[in-house]
Amino acid sequence: MSYTSPTGKFVLSHLNLQVRCGQTFILLGRSGSGKTTTLKLINRLLAPSSGEVRVNGAVDADIIRLRRGIGYVIQDVGLFPHFTVERNVALVPTLEGWPEERVRARVQELLHIVGLETQMALRYPRQLSGGQRQRIGVARALAADPPILLMDEPFGALDPLTRDELQREFLILQQKMRKTVVFVTHDLREALRIGSHIALMEAGKLAAVLSPDEFLSSSQPLAAAYVRAFDIGSATTGRDVS
């Protein structure tokens, strides 16, 4: 699969990836490497210039149905400021025609899952901290129980302590739910901590696909450069969920 922007710039070149069900698949690379574009191609926000994107083995012509089956979490969350937390989280189930009581119960369930008190449902995004907004973004993405989650640097703008906390919560959540997750980051430590596989990207091309342990011991030049840059030893990937 390749993608060329409307201005004629090559953004992705001959990208060939397979993400298996239940994986947390990391797209790792510096800014401009094509990570976010890859997510947009999966979700059909963009169409490939050549090649194809298959979700569950098929090229789905019904874009609306496809997107409602994929949860999307972005760094700046994208909550509707004039909606309460409850309305933000309930957006897709409401569009899907769920009964009101079922929607309300799902919102309460998800607030509990992401570690927020149920009374948060009546607040507006402006009344929440950055970490709370990010949790609501995850809850909204999970609302209709989609099998696939796309996460675009969801913890990148948070302070280190909040980021650490949300990474731990994500690992626990993923152990319970076993979603298929494609997760964008430029942080190797985050990639090693939460990923089952890491796709290393550079200048729109795929450099390597490695497990965390393979990444740490890889002789692939770019992977080795990342390990040196982040000053990470080979003894541990830090994949604790405590």
Side-chain angles (χ1 to χ4, degrees):
M1 173 186 68
S2 297
Y3 177 74
T4 303
S5 75
T7 63
K9 178 183 177 183
F10 287 97
V11 181
L12 290 174
S13 179
H14 303 293
L15 185 67
N16 187 3
L17 289 175
Q18 182 179 28
V19 182
R20 298 179 185 236
C21 291
Q23 282 186 334
T24 299
F25 193 90
I26 305 294
L27 301 180
L28 174 69
R30 65 182 103 196
S31 297
S33 61
K35 306 183 302 296
T36 295
T37 298
T38 302
L39 288 194
K40 290 180 178 180
L41 287 163
I42 295 171
N43 206 37
R44 302 297 196 276
L45 292 170
L46 296 173
S49 303
S50 63
E52 60 185 16
V53 180
R54 291 183 175 269
V55 177
N56 296 322
V59 179
D60 199 332
D62 187 341
I63 294 177
I64 300 301
R65 175 57 47 193
L66 173 79
R67 289 176 183 164
R68 289 185 185 177
I70 298 176
Y72 209 146
V73 187
I74 59 178
Q75 182 172 310
D76 59 3
V77 186
L79 299 178
F80 292 106
H82 56 293
F83 281 10
T84 63
V85 164
E86 181 173 35
R87 285 189 69 191
N88 269 288
V89 175
L91 182 61
V92 174
T94 301
L95 291 172
E96 290 286 277
W98 288 23
E100 186 175 334
E101 286 304 313
R102 184 186 176 195
V103 171
R104 187 173 294 112
R106 181 62 171 161
V107 170
Q108 296 298 311
E109 176 189 16
L110 285 165
L111 289 178
H112 175 73
I113 286 173
V114 300
L116 294 175
E117 297 177 353
T118 56
Q119 57 263 38
M120 289 279 187
L122 299 179
R123 295 189 185 181
Y124 288 86
R126 65 179 180 275
Q127 298 172 307
L128 306 176
S129 69
Q132 288 170 338
R133 287 194 296 272
Q134 208 62 55
R135 286 180 168 88
I136 297 304
V138 173
R140 183 175 65 179
L142 291 170
D145 199 22
I148 299 169
L149 288 180
L150 306 179
M151 306 184 77
D152 193 356
E153 298 197 54
F155 312 139
L158 302 174
D159 65 85
L161 290 179
T162 302
R163 185 173 189 174
D164 174 74
E165 184 178 311
L166 288 182
Q167 287 170 349
R168 288 174 183 268
E169 291 178 2
F170 171 81
L171 284 166
I172 294 169
L173 189 66
Q174 178 63 340
Q175 281 190 339
K176 293 177 181 177
M177 295 190 168
R178 295 296 178 189
K179 301 290 184 183
T180 302
V181 181
V182 184
F183 189 111
V184 164
T185 185
H186 61 267
D187 185 336
L188 177 58
R189 293 183 185 277
E190 183 168 68
L192 293 169
R193 185 178 194 182
I194 70 172
S196 51
H197 285 78
I198 301 169
L200 180 58
M201 300 179 66
E202 177 76 356
K205 296 182 179 179
L206 183 64
V209 179
L210 303 163
S211 72
D213 288 332
E214 289 169 342
F215 200 107
L216 286 172
S217 59
S218 177
S219 59
Q220 200 279 341
L222 187 59
Y226 264 86
V227 173
R228 288 195 303 272
F230 280 82
D231 192 24
I232 299 173
S234 60
T236 180
T237 60
R239 295 167 65 84
D240 65 284
V241 294
S242 59

